[in-house]
Amino acid sequence: MRIKELLNQRFSAAMQAAGIPDDCSPILALSGKPQFGDYQANGAMAAAKRLKTNPRELAEKILQQLDLDGIADKLEIAGPGFINIYLNVTFLANCVSADMLRNESESISKARPQTVVVDYSSPNLAKEMHVGHLRSTIIGDAVARSLEHQGHKVIRQNHMGDWGTQFGMLIAELEQHLSEGEQAELALNDLEVFYQQSKKHFDEDPDFADTARAYVVKLQSGDAHCRALWQKFIHVSVAHNLEIYRQLNVGLSADHIMPESAYNDDLQNVLDDLVTQGIATDSENAKVVFLDELADKNGNPSVMIVQKSGGGFLYATTDLAAMRHRVGQLHADRILYFIDARQALHMKQVFAAARKAGYAPDSVSLEHHPFGTMMGKDGKPFKTRSGGTVKLADLLVEAVERAEQLLRSKNTDLSDSEIKDIARKVGIGAIKYADLSKTRTNDYIFDWDAMLSFEGNTAPYLQYAYTRIRSIFRKAGLDADSFSAPISITEIQEKTLIMKLLQFDEIVDQVAAEGYPHILCNYVYELASAYMTFYEHCPVLKEGIEDAVQKSRLQLCKLTSETISKGLDLLGIEVMERM
Ligand code: ARG
């Protein structure tokens, strides 16, 4: 149960009883300041405007009808007609004790579970994964986890780019290496180097370029030799990506790969269907879709090519086939695309064409969740010192190394293997959190020192907050996992902490609905801060604390640690017992 939802229900009923039309909302919000109570209902003003009556009098009428017995201690009308709600501490203590945070059966989405297809990561296999793929991979994963937590059926689709003209060049290069007796794994040991090599070859050697072009055609027409070479290449590239996912603690496996080539056999069908429906038409020997719904300000329709003049299909054609599959076969209610903001027009065109062609009925929600670019400290897109693209694999190694140095500089009593394990969680967590905690639509600056700091809104700070709570239980000789005690509130800091704990579900709802993981990051950070304030004012293990009070506080510690760890888990970040 969400407190806000409960208040909403009660207020809506009261407003109805007070003769206010149904479509007037109570407009509930957390109060900004303690002197305005815990929550505020601000809907009386708008309703009074509608009914042309005095807002304070209307608020008074709502209060006469309102039943918040046992939920609120005090209700007051303030200013022009705000209703301030002061929640009852016993009610709050009971809510949090009932452990509603993690009570799946209370989750609203259980009642209306959806099938949600999440298209994320989706790197091109011609090259090694680089930092440009990081954002889609981790943001998409955090949202997928949040949706799953809510009880939705999540279908991850890794729309890997394993098809297209580049592969002619790559397999021609591979063929040459193999003919010289080299093993495919060895030749492809560094995909980036391999790509550069074959590109150089292609640019400088006309014979090679001819072979490469011929191989594109052969590959597309199903030539066995070219296919086998291509398979070898894809196999190595996919293995590399799966290893990155494992290191990143991202929930993508081989089962989620649904690459572009999987739609090859359907592309002609899609085209024929678009032509039959009169949606695709001839234009300069190509087949194109004119989209009036995306016309520019002069009324010229937006143009999307679905077949090139030579007969080749395009990125857009594949996306339309994928859309049909996701709606028709996977029965998606929502399809989420985590793709760079620079592909916004492409997504708009695909969505508009899919609606037009009936591949996605209006009941299916199509959502492009774009994100900005990762920048270096110089304010330009993040590059290596020599200006090359930063390989994701190298970045992750560096993160773990830096975390290890940091831990060694702080700590002495951890064993070597403990330090290694913690460094991995801290380093990877830091990279992920630094990205996830920024509003995804903005560009952000990649900064090692900031992300690895133990202070501020960082992964290490939150991981450390978690270990500190766990150490309280160790000190007390208690097992945190099996500990349980009734909660009673005596101090304001306890109430504030409980209010924060109780917001968890609402926050996850928001992440799942809007696809912005930074909302969850901010929440976990605020929770950790509320905990720190509580811990400073409310001694837990100090001598002379009454037993029941101590147990209640320990219970709050436990719930906080569980919520921090659950929140981080939804972000794909691991915690540890000590650091
Ligand atoms: N492979 C593409 C790229 O690296 C991203 C694919 C995203 N998904 C999609 N359905 N278009 O730019």
Side-chain angles (χ1 to χ4, degrees):
M1 183 193 60
R2 283 83 173 146
I3 291 189
K4 195 162 150 191
E5 203 174 66
L6 177 73
L7 293 174
N8 216 350
Q9 282 165 8
R10 299 288 171 99
F11 266 90
S12 297
M15 285 169 73
Q16 236 177 352
I20 297 168
D22 293 3
D23 56 333
C24 287
S25 148
I27 317 186
L28 279 156
L30 279 166
S31 296
K33 296 198 178 115
Q35 64 264 38
F36 301 141
D38 301 311
Y39 276 89
Q40 283 189 313
N42 302 332
M45 276 89 73
K49 212 168 183 179
R50 273 276 292 277
L51 298 174
K52 302 198 172 50
T53 109
N54 177 307
R56 279 188 74 103
E57 279 168 21
L58 192 63
E60 194 58 57
K61 273 195 188 159
I62 297 173
L63 288 194
Q64 278 162 15
Q65 300 294 337
L66 186 66
D67 174 17
L68 285 182
D69 261 3
I71 297 175
D73 288 335
K74 186 169 113 183
L75 294 158
E76 70 189 11
I77 300 170
F82 299 107
I83 301 174
N84 296 341
I85 306 153
Y86 296 80
L87 295 172
N88 174 281
V89 286
T90 313
F91 164 74
L92 288 174
N94 288 342
C95 282
V96 82
S97 307
D99 202 2
M100 281 183 261
L101 301 169
R102 281 151 295 272
N103 192 341
E104 295 278 331
S105 64
E106 299 242 25
S107 170
I108 38 166
S109 60
K110 278 272 148 142
R112 324 174 222 125
Q114 289 188 311
T115 298
V116 188
V117 167
V118 188
D119 180 325
Y120 70 102
S121 193
S122 308
N124 288 335
L125 296 181
K127 289 190 186 181
E128 198 162 322
M129 258 177 117
H130 57 82
V131 294
H133 298 116
L134 182 69
R135 305 210 70 190
S136 173
T137 305
I138 63 182
I139 298 171
D141 199 53
V143 176
R145 285 171 191 252
S146 301
L147 285 158
E148 250 161 6
H149 172 79
Q150 287 197 312
H152 295 297
K153 176 177 174 192
V154 172
I155 305 180
R156 292 168 165 82
Q157 293 281 279
N158 194 345
H159 193 84
M160 285 177 161
D162 64 343
W163 204 247
T165 48
Q166 289 170 321
F167 289 93
M169 175 181 96
L170 292 166
I171 62 181
E173 181 75 23
L174 179 61
E175 183 180 45
Q176 214 160 77
H177 284 259
L178 296 181
S179 72
E180 286 156 14
E182 207 177 332
Q183 294 289 315
E185 279 71 17
L186 207 66
L188 299 172
N189 181 35
D190 190 325
L191 282 173
E192 205 57 37
V193 170
F194 187 84
Y195 184 90
Q196 300 308 341
Q197 251 172 24
S198 66
K199 179 87 175 62
K200 192 156 179 267
H201 222 149
F202 184 86
D203 292 340
E204 291 171 4
D205 178 350
D207 288 343
F208 179 85
D210 285 342
T211 311
R213 275 189 282 266
Y215 277 13
V216 177
V217 180
K218 281 187 162 186
L219 184 63
Q220 283 172 352
S221 60
D223 174 86
H225 175 64
C226 284
R227 273 270 167 173
L229 285 169
W230 173 78
Q231 272 302 346
K232 276 204 170 83
F233 183 91
I234 297 301
H235 180 77
V236 174
S237 186
V238 163
H240 162 80
N241 288 342
L242 291 177
E243 172 56 20
I244 298 266
Y245 297 147
R246 194 191 59 78
Q247 286 174 20
L248 269 178
N249 187 34
V250 157
L252 281 172
S253 71
D255 294 343
H256 305 119
I257 302 175
M258 189 63 179
E260 290 185 12
S261 65
Y263 302 102
N264 281 348
D265 293 345
D266 203 29
L267 300 179
Q268 186 65 48
N269 301 335
V270 168
L271 182 74
D272 292 346
D273 181 64
L274 292 172
V275 170
T276 312
Q277 291 200 55
I279 294 170
T281 47
D282 288 308
S283 172
E284 297 169 38
N285 292 325
K287 294 268 191 293
V288 306
V289 178
F290 291 106
L291 296 160
D292 289 323
E293 37 288 79
L294 300 175
D296 65 16
K297 42 184 181 313
N298 301 322
N300 303 314
S302 174
V303 183
M304 179 171 88
I305 308 177
V306 284
Q307 189 179 37
K308 289 191 271 196
S309 57
F313 295 111
L314 291 104
Y315 184 47
T317 330
T318 308
D319 259 324
L320 286 173
M323 177 81 75
R324 252 189 6 169
H325 172 75
R326 291 166 184 184
V327 176
Q329 312 296 313
L330 305 179
H331 308 292
D333 297 305
R334 283 176 78 188
I335 311 178
L336 278 48
Y337 296 81
F338 288 89
I339 314 179
D340 195 303
R342 283 168 289 196
Q343 293 191 29
L345 176 62
H346 165 75
M347 288 323 299
K348 274 192 188 144
Q349 292 183 324
V350 168
F351 291 176
R355 295 279 191 223
K356 234 179 156 131
Y359 299 164
D362 287 341
S363 59
V364 177
S365 165
L366 304 178
E367 307 168 27
H368 175 205
H369 296 285
F371 46 82
T373 306
M374 182 164 145
M375 304 295 221
K377 271 186 164 172
D378 56 1
K380 298 194 188 116
F382 191 66
K383 290 266 155 68
T384 58
R385 245 178 241 148
S386 56
T389 44
V390 179
K391 291 187 198 173
L392 208 39
D394 294 345
L395 192 78
L396 302 187
V397 168
E398 183 166 353
V400 176
E401 278 171 8
R402 283 179 182 259
E404 183 173 338
Q405 270 171 20
L406 195 71
L407 290 168
R408 289 197 192 277
S409 74
K410 283 188 195 285
N411 223 306
T412 44
D413 66 346
L414 291 167
S415 76
D416 211 52
S417 72
E418 277 175 320
I419 288 196
K420 287 252 181 303
D421 183 53
I422 297 168
R424 185 183 58 77
K425 291 176 176 169
V426 170
I428 300 295
I431 286 204
K432 294 179 81 171
Y433 192 87
D435 192 308
L436 293 168
S437 59
K438 311 291 183 321
T439 309
R440 68 167 153 71
T441 40
N442 299 341
D443 295 343
Y444 79 99
I445 294 184
F446 187 90
D447 178 350
W448 285 117
D449 296 327
M451 73 177 72
L452 282 164
S453 167
F454 277 68
E455 272 143 51
N457 191 5
T458 66
Y461 171 77
L462 298 172
Q463 288 167 322
Y464 185 57
Y466 176 83
T467 60
R468 280 192 29 188
I469 303 178
R470 299 291 288 188
S471 80
I472 294 173
F473 282 88
R474 276 197 301 275
K475 244 184 243 153
L478 293 167
D479 172 36
D481 297 324
S482 58
F483 183 84
S484 175
I487 291 173
S488 55
I489 305 177
T490 54
E491 303 298 319
I492 179 77
Q493 293 83 4
E494 294 171 318
K495 182 178 168 188
T496 309
L497 179 60
I498 290 182
M499 289 275 295
K500 205 76 217 161
L501 285 166
L502 286 169
Q503 282 163 26
F504 181 76
D505 282 328
E506 282 171 21
I507 294 293
V508 180
D509 288 349
Q510 217 183 328
V511 175
E514 298 166 17
Y516 281 101
H518 76 276
I519 297 171
L520 180 55
C521 296
N522 289 344
Y523 167 80
V524 180
Y525 179 59
E526 283 168 17
L527 173 64
S529 309
Y531 174 80
M532 293 305 174
T533 312
F534 151 81
Y535 191 71
E536 273 164 33
H537 289 85
C538 308
V540 179
L541 296 184
K542 218 166 108 186
E543 290 277 324
I545 305 270
E546 203 187 305
D547 191 54
V549 172
Q550 182 176 71
K551 290 212 168 99
S552 163
R553 289 181 182 167
L554 279 165
Q555 183 67 15
L556 285 179
C557 289
K558 173 185 156 128
L559 288 173
T560 305
S561 69
E562 282 176 358
T563 308
I564 291 177
S565 123
K566 187 72 216 169
L568 289 177
D569 178 55
L570 295 184
L571 296 166
I573 295 172
E574 295 174 87
V575 292
M576 50 292 225
E577 289 305 308
R578 28 173 113 230
M579 72 192 273

PDB file of all heavy atoms in Angstrom, residues 315-333:
ATOM      1  N   TYR A 315      17.768  -0.112 -41.484  1.00  0.00           N
ATOM      2  CA  TYR A 315      17.596  -0.120 -40.030  1.00  0.00           C
ATOM      3  C   TYR A 315      16.107   0.033 -39.665  1.00  0.00           C
ATOM      4  O   TYR A 315      15.584  -0.683 -38.813  1.00  0.00           O
ATOM      5  CB  TYR A 315      18.428   1.052 -39.501  1.00  0.00           C
ATOM      6  CG  TYR A 315      18.521   1.226 -38.007  1.00  0.00           C
ATOM      7  CD1 TYR A 315      18.795   0.159 -37.160  1.00  0.00           C
ATOM      8  CD2 TYR A 315      18.376   2.503 -37.448  1.00  0.00           C
ATOM      9  CE1 TYR A 315      18.921   0.352 -35.785  1.00  0.00           C
ATOM     10  CE2 TYR A 315      18.505   2.707 -36.088  1.00  0.00           C
ATOM     11  CZ  TYR A 315      18.770   1.625 -35.249  1.00  0.00           C
ATOM     12  OH  TYR A 315      18.893   1.833 -33.905  1.00  0.00           O
ATOM     13  N   ALA A 316      15.435   0.954 -40.365  1.00  0.00           N
ATOM     14  CA  ALA A 316      14.026   1.221 -40.081  1.00  0.00           C
ATOM     15  C   ALA A 316      13.148   0.019 -40.426  1.00  0.00           C
ATOM     16  O   ALA A 316      12.192  -0.292 -39.701  1.00  0.00           O
ATOM     17  CB  ALA A 316      13.565   2.448 -40.863  1.00  0.00           C
ATOM     18  N   THR A 317      13.461  -0.651 -41.535  1.00  0.00           N
ATOM     19  CA  THR A 317      12.663  -1.812 -41.938  1.00  0.00           C
ATOM     20  C   THR A 317      12.737  -2.879 -40.847  1.00  0.00           C
ATOM     21  O   THR A 317      11.737  -3.487 -40.473  1.00  0.00           O
ATOM     22  CB  THR A 317      13.189  -2.404 -43.265  1.00  0.00           C
ATOM     23  OG1 THR A 317      13.772  -1.374 -44.053  1.00  0.00           O
ATOM     24  CG2 THR A 317      12.076  -3.096 -44.025  1.00  0.00           C
ATOM     25  N   THR A 318      13.952  -3.084 -40.351  1.00  0.00           N
ATOM     26  CA  THR A 318      14.151  -4.081 -39.296  1.00  0.00           C
ATOM     27  C   THR A 318      13.388  -3.689 -38.036  1.00  0.00           C
ATOM     28  O   THR A 318      12.773  -4.537 -37.373  1.00  0.00           O
ATOM     29  CB  THR A 318      15.660  -4.211 -38.974  1.00  0.00           C
ATOM     30  OG1 THR A 318      16.351  -4.444 -40.187  1.00  0.00           O
ATOM     31  CG2 THR A 318      15.912  -5.353 -38.021  1.00  0.00           C
ATOM     32  N   ASP A 319      13.401  -2.405 -37.715  1.00  0.00           N
ATOM     33  CA  ASP A 319      12.671  -1.976 -36.522  1.00  0.00           C
ATOM     34  C   ASP A 319      11.157  -2.170 -36.679  1.00  0.00           C
ATOM     35  O   ASP A 319      10.462  -2.451 -35.702  1.00  0.00           O
ATOM     36  CB  ASP A 319      13.003  -0.514 -36.179  1.00  0.00           C
ATOM     37  CG  ASP A 319      14.018  -0.447 -35.036  1.00  0.00           C
ATOM     38  OD1 ASP A 319      13.941  -1.291 -34.126  1.00  0.00           O
ATOM     39  OD2 ASP A 319      14.891   0.438 -35.057  1.00  0.00           O
ATOM     40  N   LEU A 320      10.667  -2.032 -37.885  1.00  0.00           N
ATOM     41  CA  LEU A 320       9.231  -2.271 -38.106  1.00  0.00           C
ATOM     42  C   LEU A 320       8.915  -3.764 -37.949  1.00  0.00           C
ATOM     43  O   LEU A 320       7.899  -4.133 -37.347  1.00  0.00           O
ATOM     44  CB  LEU A 320       8.804  -1.776 -39.482  1.00  0.00           C
ATOM     45  CG  LEU A 320       8.696  -0.253 -39.610  1.00  0.00           C
ATOM     46  CD1 LEU A 320       8.433   0.144 -41.051  1.00  0.00           C
ATOM     47  CD2 LEU A 320       7.586   0.289 -38.696  1.00  0.00           C
ATOM     48  N   ALA A 321       9.810  -4.599 -38.466  1.00  0.00           N
ATOM     49  CA  ALA A 321       9.611  -6.049 -38.312  1.00  0.00           C
ATOM     50  C   ALA A 321       9.669  -6.425 -36.830  1.00  0.00           C
ATOM     51  O   ALA A 321       8.862  -7.231 -36.344  1.00  0.00           O
ATOM     52  CB  ALA A 321      10.667  -6.814 -39.104  1.00  0.00           C
ATOM     53  N   ALA A 322      10.610  -5.804 -36.118  1.00  0.00           N
ATOM     54  CA  ALA A 322      10.745  -6.088 -34.679  1.00  0.00           C
ATOM     55  C   ALA A 322       9.483  -5.663 -33.933  1.00  0.00           C
ATOM     56  O   ALA A 322       8.996  -6.345 -33.031  1.00  0.00           O
ATOM     57  CB  ALA A 322      11.969  -5.365 -34.123  1.00  0.00           C
ATOM     58  N   MET A 323       8.947  -4.535 -34.335  1.00  0.00           N
ATOM     59  CA  MET A 323       7.727  -4.027 -33.707  1.00  0.00           C
ATOM     60  C   MET A 323       6.575  -5.020 -33.889  1.00  0.00           C
ATOM     61  O   MET A 323       5.838  -5.328 -32.943  1.00  0.00           O
ATOM     62  CB  MET A 323       7.361  -2.697 -34.371  1.00  0.00           C
ATOM     63  CG  MET A 323       6.091  -2.091 -33.886  1.00  0.00           C
ATOM     64  SD  MET A 323       6.356  -1.228 -32.369  1.00  0.00           S
ATOM     65  CE  MET A 323       7.189   0.240 -32.968  1.00  0.00           C
ATOM     66  N   ARG A 324       6.430  -5.508 -35.100  1.00  0.00           N
ATOM     67  CA  ARG A 324       5.357  -6.477 -35.385  1.00  0.00           C
ATOM     68  C   ARG A 324       5.522  -7.712 -34.520  1.00  0.00           C
ATOM     69  O   ARG A 324       4.552  -8.258 -33.987  1.00  0.00           O
ATOM     70  CB  ARG A 324       5.416  -6.889 -36.863  1.00  0.00           C
ATOM     71  CG  ARG A 324       4.305  -6.305 -37.630  1.00  0.00           C
ATOM     72  CD  ARG A 324       4.072  -6.735 -39.016  1.00  0.00           C
ATOM     73  NE  ARG A 324       4.811  -7.812 -39.634  1.00  0.00           N
ATOM     74  CZ  ARG A 324       4.464  -8.341 -40.795  1.00  0.00           C
ATOM     75  NH1 ARG A 324       3.385  -7.900 -41.418  1.00  0.00           N
ATOM     76  NH2 ARG A 324       5.179  -9.287 -41.343  1.00  0.00           N
ATOM     77  N   HIS A 325       6.750  -8.152 -34.389  1.00  0.00           N
ATOM     78  CA  HIS A 325       7.048  -9.328 -33.583  1.00  0.00           C
ATOM     79  C   HIS A 325       6.719  -9.073 -32.104  1.00  0.00           C
ATOM     80  O   HIS A 325       6.092  -9.898 -31.435  1.00  0.00           O
ATOM     81  CB  HIS A 325       8.530  -9.667 -33.738  1.00  0.00           C
ATOM     82  CG  HIS A 325       9.013 -10.745 -32.829  1.00  0.00           C
ATOM     83  ND1 HIS A 325       8.725 -12.077 -33.026  1.00  0.00           N
ATOM     84  CD2 HIS A 325       9.750 -10.681 -31.686  1.00  0.00           C
ATOM     85  CE1 HIS A 325       9.272 -12.792 -32.060  1.00  0.00           C
ATOM     86  NE2 HIS A 325       9.900 -11.974 -31.231  1.00  0.00           N
ATOM     87  N   ARG A 326       7.107  -7.925 -31.631  1.00  0.00           N
ATOM     88  CA  ARG A 326       6.921  -7.614 -30.212  1.00  0.00           C
ATOM     89  C   ARG A 326       5.448  -7.481 -29.848  1.00  0.00           C
ATOM     90  O   ARG A 326       5.028  -7.866 -28.756  1.00  0.00           O
ATOM     91  CB  ARG A 326       7.683  -6.327 -29.856  1.00  0.00           C
ATOM     92  CG  ARG A 326       9.174  -6.551 -29.925  1.00  0.00           C
ATOM     93  CD  ARG A 326       9.990  -5.287 -29.912  1.00  0.00           C
ATOM     94  NE  ARG A 326      11.405  -5.631 -30.070  1.00  0.00           N
ATOM     95  CZ  ARG A 326      12.390  -4.772 -30.026  1.00  0.00           C
ATOM     96  NH1 ARG A 326      12.141  -3.478 -29.858  1.00  0.00           N
ATOM     97  NH2 ARG A 326      13.637  -5.177 -30.170  1.00  0.00           N
ATOM     98  N   VAL A 327       4.679  -6.927 -30.746  1.00  0.00           N
ATOM     99  CA  VAL A 327       3.249  -6.784 -30.481  1.00  0.00           C
ATOM    100  C   VAL A 327       2.530  -8.110 -30.749  1.00  0.00           C
ATOM    101  O   VAL A 327       1.784  -8.606 -29.916  1.00  0.00           O
ATOM    102  CB  VAL A 327       2.627  -5.652 -31.333  1.00  0.00           C
ATOM    103  CG1 VAL A 327       1.125  -5.578 -31.134  1.00  0.00           C
ATOM    104  CG2 VAL A 327       3.279  -4.315 -30.986  1.00  0.00           C
ATOM    105  N   GLY A 328       2.803  -8.677 -31.911  1.00  0.00           N
ATOM    106  CA  GLY A 328       2.066  -9.860 -32.351  1.00  0.00           C
ATOM    107  C   GLY A 328       2.452 -11.145 -31.644  1.00  0.00           C
ATOM    108  O   GLY A 328       1.585 -11.917 -31.240  1.00  0.00           O
ATOM    109  N   GLN A 329       3.753 -11.364 -31.470  1.00  0.00           N
ATOM    110  CA  GLN A 329       4.206 -12.627 -30.868  1.00  0.00           C
ATOM    111  C   GLN A 329       4.467 -12.500 -29.369  1.00  0.00           C
ATOM    112  O   GLN A 329       4.196 -13.420 -28.610  1.00  0.00           O
ATOM    113  CB  GLN A 329       5.501 -13.130 -31.535  1.00  0.00           C
ATOM    114  CG  GLN A 329       5.487 -13.124 -33.043  1.00  0.00           C
ATOM    115  CD  GLN A 329       4.457 -14.083 -33.595  1.00  0.00           C
ATOM    116  OE1 GLN A 329       4.369 -15.225 -33.174  1.00  0.00           O
ATOM    117  NE2 GLN A 329       3.631 -13.593 -34.521  1.00  0.00           N
ATOM    118  N   LEU A 330       5.044 -11.374 -28.962  1.00  0.00           N
ATOM    119  CA  LEU A 330       5.387 -11.230 -27.546  1.00  0.00           C
ATOM    120  C   LEU A 330       4.239 -10.612 -26.737  1.00  0.00           C
ATOM    121  O   LEU A 330       4.284 -10.571 -25.527  1.00  0.00           O
ATOM    122  CB  LEU A 330       6.663 -10.392 -27.375  1.00  0.00           C
ATOM    123  CG  LEU A 330       7.911 -10.886 -28.133  1.00  0.00           C
ATOM    124  CD1 LEU A 330       9.094  -9.956 -27.886  1.00  0.00           C
ATOM    125  CD2 LEU A 330       8.281 -12.313 -27.703  1.00  0.00           C
ATOM    126  N   HIS A 331       3.228 -10.100 -27.424  1.00  0.00           N
ATOM    127  CA  HIS A 331       2.039  -9.523 -26.789  1.00  0.00           C
ATOM    128  C   HIS A 331       2.373  -8.381 -25.839  1.00  0.00           C
ATOM    129  O   HIS A 331       1.870  -8.308 -24.712  1.00  0.00           O
ATOM    130  CB  HIS A 331       1.238 -10.607 -26.057  1.00  0.00           C
ATOM    131  CG  HIS A 331       0.936 -11.784 -26.935  1.00  0.00           C
ATOM    132  ND1 HIS A 331       0.078 -11.685 -28.008  1.00  0.00           N
ATOM    133  CD2 HIS A 331       1.405 -13.047 -26.933  1.00  0.00           C
ATOM    134  CE1 HIS A 331       0.031 -12.859 -28.630  1.00  0.00           C
ATOM    135  NE2 HIS A 331       0.826 -13.699 -27.997  1.00  0.00           N
ATOM    136  N   ALA A 332       3.216  -7.503 -26.299  1.00  0.00           N
ATOM    137  CA  ALA A 332       3.629  -6.378 -25.460  1.00  0.00           C
ATOM    138  C   ALA A 332       2.475  -5.408 -25.212  1.00  0.00           C
ATOM    139  O   ALA A 332       1.692  -5.124 -26.114  1.00  0.00           O
ATOM    140  CB  ALA A 332       4.769  -5.628 -26.141  1.00  0.00           C
ATOM    141  N   ASP A 333       2.397  -4.929 -23.962  1.00  0.00           N
ATOM    142  CA  ASP A 333       1.491  -3.819 -23.653  1.00  0.00           C
ATOM    143  C   ASP A 333       2.244  -2.496 -23.743  1.00  0.00           C
ATOM    144  O   ASP A 333       1.669  -1.450 -24.012  1.00  0.00           O
ATOM    145  CB  ASP A 333       0.944  -3.945 -22.226  1.00  0.00           C
ATOM    146  CG  ASP A 333       0.114  -5.197 -22.046  1.00  0.00           C
ATOM    147  OD1 ASP A 333      -0.842  -5.366 -22.830  1.00  0.00           O
ATOM    148  OD2 ASP A 333       0.428  -6.000 -21.144  1.00  0.00           O
TER     149      ASP A 333
END
